[in-house]
Amino acid sequence: MALRNHSTVTKFILMGMSADPHIEALLFVLFLVIYLLTLMGNLTLLLVIRADSHLHTPMYFFLSNLAFLDLCFSSVTVPKLLVDLLSEKKTISVQGCLAQVFFVSITAGTEACLLSVMAYDRYAAICHPLLYAQVMSHELCVRLVLVSWGLTGLNSVVIVLLAVNLDFCEDQIIHHYSCELPSLLPLSCSDISINFDILIFSTLLQGLGTSPSIFFSYACIISSILTISSTTGRSKGFNTCSSHLIAVILYFGSGMIRYLMPTSGSSLDLLFSLQYSVVTPMVNPLIYSLKNKEVKAAVKRTLEKYL
């Protein structure tokens, strides 16, 4: 990343969450606990799925990839946030800021694609149970995950390469706790119309590219479940996909609003970012484990085996 276009500004100041040292101390404890719970929950899910042969199915293959993504996603922003909460000077270099933009983009985009793939997996399991093993082969599952990483990686490279060519002249204050493109673009004294258009296009592409498959999958799932005559069968069907539906609503709701609404520097921007990048990675393991008897049984078996 050449610095010729950033000769005036070499670093940015992150305003963070608060300027009050006492509030910052409380926030540090809060986010440290959240980050540790995120690490513990997702690592536990990863290890249990890997260790227990009963969970070596397409559904849990995707779930283990989601847990890995949540670990990466949370680690992109939260460690820097924790450091800044204890620091008087909350600065980040231009290169570091652009690197954070890239990793936020690739992890957030891949998670959106993966949630869409998981919706298709639930559709295949509930609507075509007899063909499920043939439809969701291991080769297809691996290919879907690799395509998700590849497409969002290419998109992230394009976004960052365009951001590298921006000039940052005077304003170096980011009214946020991390570097996200919606907060970074208003600081540039270059023409950002192309960057802004590509950001909107990218967000709509990822949102509209993944949302229809989720809506279609769940429309077919609900229709299929309602045709089941027994109450137990319907309850089991809804329980199978309810965890994933909760995760989709939490993630897509805050993420789409954050990237499509104009950046105002208000507390709402912070809340939406915290929701999809900090809170969701923490609650995903809880959502998928507390409502899942197979995961709870696998945790019990794993503890009995090793302890």
Side-chain angles (χ1 to χ4, degrees), residues 88-144:
E88 291 186 12
K89 295 183 178 180
K90 302 173 177 60
T91 60
I92 185 171
S93 66
V94 171
Q95 300 99 315
C97 193
L98 292 176
Q100 200 172 60
V101 167
F102 172 80
F103 287 113
V104 166
S105 175
I106 191 172
T107 50
T110 304
E111 183 150 342
C113 292
L114 191 59
L115 288 172
S116 175
V117 169
M118 291 173 73
Y120 176 73
D121 172 70
R122 293 298 82 209
Y123 158 76
I126 294 174
C127 298
H128 304 285
L130 299 179
L131 298 175
Y132 179 65
Q134 293 177 308
V135 173
M136 299 304 296
S137 64
H138 180 69
E139 292 76 13
L140 177 63
C141 295
V142 172
R143 199 174 296 126
L144 288 171

Side-chain angles (χ1 to χ4, degrees), residues 109 112-116 119 204-215 252:
C113 292
L114 191 59
L115 288 172
S116 175
L204 289 174
L205 184 64
Q206 289 183 353
L208 298 179
T210 55
S211 298
S213 64
I214 294 174
F215 293 143
F252 276 87

Side-chain angles (χ1 to χ4, degrees), residues 8-9 11-13 167-173 187-189:
T8 305
V9 173
K11 57 186 177 182
F12 297 110
I13 299 171
D167 293 318
F168 300 100
C169 303
E170 296 179 1
D171 193 0
Q172 47 184 147
I173 298 176
L187 303 183
S188 176
C189 52

Side-chain angles (χ1 to χ4, degrees), residues 78-293:
V78 179
K80 174 61 177 171
L81 171 61
L82 292 173
V83 171
D84 287 343
L85 286 171
L86 297 180
S87 306
E88 291 186 12
K89 295 183 178 180
K90 302 173 177 60
T91 60
I92 185 171
S93 66
V94 171
Q95 300 99 315
C97 193
L98 292 176
Q100 200 172 60
V101 167
F102 172 80
F103 287 113
V104 166
S105 175
I106 191 172
T107 50
T110 304
E111 183 150 342
C113 292
L114 191 59
L115 288 172
S116 175
V117 169
M118 291 173 73
Y120 176 73
D121 172 70
R122 293 298 82 209
Y123 158 76
I126 294 174
C127 298
H128 304 285
L130 299 179
L131 298 175
Y132 179 65
Q134 293 177 308
V135 173
M136 299 304 296
S137 64
H138 180 69
E139 292 76 13
L140 177 63
C141 295
V142 172
R143 199 174 296 126
L144 288 171
V145 171
L146 292 177
V147 168
S148 298
W149 277 101
L151 290 177
T152 51
L154 179 62
N155 176 68
S156 302
V157 168
V158 172
I159 286 176
V160 171
L161 286 178
L162 288 171
V164 164
N165 293 317
L166 294 176
D167 293 318
F168 300 100
C169 303
E170 296 179 1
D171 193 0
Q172 47 184 147
I173 298 176
I174 298 177
H175 295 279
H176 209 270
Y177 64 88
S178 67
C179 288
E180 291 182 341
L181 207 55
S183 299
L184 189 62
L185 289 180
L187 303 183
S188 176
C189 52
S190 305
D191 181 9
I192 62 168
S193 56
I194 295 178
N195 300 74
F196 185 75
D197 291 341
I198 290 179
L199 175 63
I200 296 296
F201 175 76
S202 170
T203 304
L204 289 174
L205 184 64
Q206 289 183 353
L208 298 179
T210 55
S211 298
S213 64
I214 294 174
F215 293 143
F216 172 77
S217 297
Y218 275 102
C220 294
I221 288 170
I222 293 171
S223 175
S224 179
I225 290 174
L226 292 177
T227 61
I228 300 174
S229 57
S230 68
T231 306
T232 305
R234 286 197 297 270
S235 177
K236 184 178 179 181
F238 280 118
N239 284 333
T240 301
C241 57
S242 60
S243 299
H244 179 257
L245 191 57
I246 293 170
V248 167
I249 293 171
L250 286 174
Y251 184 76
F252 276 87
S254 55
M256 292 288 285
I257 291 173
R258 172 69 180 113
Y259 276 80
L260 290 178
M261 294 293 288
T263 299
S264 60
S266 66
S267 57
L268 280 178
D269 291 341
L270 295 174
L271 287 175
F272 288 132
S273 292
L274 287 171
Q275 169 62 51
Y276 82 87
S277 65
V278 178
V279 177
T280 300
M282 178 190 68
V283 300
N284 273 346
L286 298 176
I287 291 172
Y288 284 102
S289 59
L290 292 178
K291 292 177 64 63
N292 193 311
K293 294 180 181 179

